[in-house]
Amino acid sequence: MQNLKLVGSKDKKRTIIKIDDVEVGKDLVVIAGPCSVESEEQVMITAQKVKEAGAQMLRGGAFKPRTSPYAFQGLGIKGLKILEKAKNVTGLPIVTEVLDPRDVTWVCEFADVLQIGTRNMQNFSLLKEVGKVNKPVLLKRGMYSTIAEWLGSAEYIMNEGNTNVILCERGIRTFETYTRNTLDLSAVPASKELTHLPVIVDPSHATGKPSLIESMSLAALASGADGLTVEVHHNPPEALSDKDQALTPKEFSKLMKKIRKLHTFMGTM
Ligand code: PEP
Ligand code: MN
């Protein structure tokens, strides 16, 4: 492994990141919400539902990295203002993606956690920029990246001074086509033994299939993940991005019940 003097676990206490009342790395943390912010109504409905179900944070992209330039690109600042409203109503901290180094400073006014997406995991100028601000960073693993490369990216962020990095395994590309990606669950205990950072799992992008999200969520927790990030939409067929993988609020609520049961059971082990 390369020089990981900052993220490496040797002689370091495990990092706990406090975001309002949530302590990532200590509490079990579930981030839930739509792939994209589409409208105020959509975000408000979803935010209330995921809060009722027991989620600790709200996710939603206002800047979307899309494969096609003709696909919905996100609402930008309008989307961030909607997320701000949802936080005011529900109290849920906001996790949202930032794509451009020039946007980092002002997006911090709306975000509680800055998400770096899989496609930007090795966008080193973006990593350096989020390393200079005082908001926690959710660093998704690049879909073509090794664990060592992923941790190298976390090192870039920490090297600029920001020590609050949450790692997120979200599946990698393999020859398998039935699932959207292949969830590399071994990356959870591996990154936890190599670093002192909290590690969460995204079963939505990892599988691309609602029918697989529950089992992969439970498996993620059993493998030692500190939490999950799950896509939820009040009306998945109408979603403007990732409609095929979104859970309905009802499905999410069912998932949360199982997650709590497993978490309680694991506490007895
Ligand atoms: C997302 O969280 O909606 C997203 C685009 O994730 P990823 O970067 O993992 O594909
Ligand atoms: Mn998505």
Side-chain angles (χ1 to χ4, degrees), residues 153-195:
S153 294
E155 190 78 16
Y156 260 92
I157 298 171
M158 286 191 68
N159 191 40
E160 297 297 325
N162 190 344
T163 54
N164 293 324
V165 179
I166 304 163
L167 298 169
C168 178
E169 162 60 39
R170 49 80 70 205
I172 49 177
R173 276 218 176 156
T174 67
F175 53 81
E176 183 54 68
T177 54
Y178 180 66
T179 47
R180 184 175 181 184
N181 290 285
T182 295
L183 179 57
D184 178 10
L185 273 186
S186 61
V188 175
S191 52
K192 289 201 72 155
E193 75 184 9
L194 291 165
T195 79

Side-chain angles (χ1 to χ4, degrees), residues 35 59 64-65 97 115 117-119 140 170 205 231:
C35 179
R59 61 148 290 144
K64 296 305 301 178
E97 181 163 353
Q115 178 171 315
T118 192
R119 295 160 184 82
K140 292 192 132 192
R170 49 80 70 205
H205 292 88
E231 288 189 345

Side-chain angles (χ1 to χ4, degrees), residues 24-25 29 31 138 140 150 166-170 188 197-202 220 225-229:
V24 187
V29 175
I31 304 164
L138 178 63
K140 292 192 132 192
W150 182 31
I166 304 163
L167 298 169
C168 178
E169 162 60 39
R170 49 80 70 205
V188 175
L197 300 173
V199 183
I200 71 165
V201 168
D202 174 350
D226 296 293
L228 300 164
T229 175

Side-chain angles (χ1 to χ4, degrees), residues 107-150:
V107 170
C108 283
E109 290 167 32
F110 299 89
D112 295 289
V113 177
L114 297 170
Q115 178 171 315
I116 299 294
T118 192
R119 295 160 184 82
N120 273 314
M121 191 209 82
Q122 285 193 319
N123 180 339
F124 297 111
S125 42
L126 182 61
L127 297 176
K128 286 183 189 169
E129 218 48 44
V130 297
K132 290 180 189 136
V133 297
N134 67 352
K135 294 284 167 152
V137 177
L138 178 63
L139 178 65
K140 292 192 132 192
R141 178 177 177 185
M143 62 179 98
Y144 305 107
S145 301
T146 63
I147 292 171
E149 287 161 346
W150 182 31

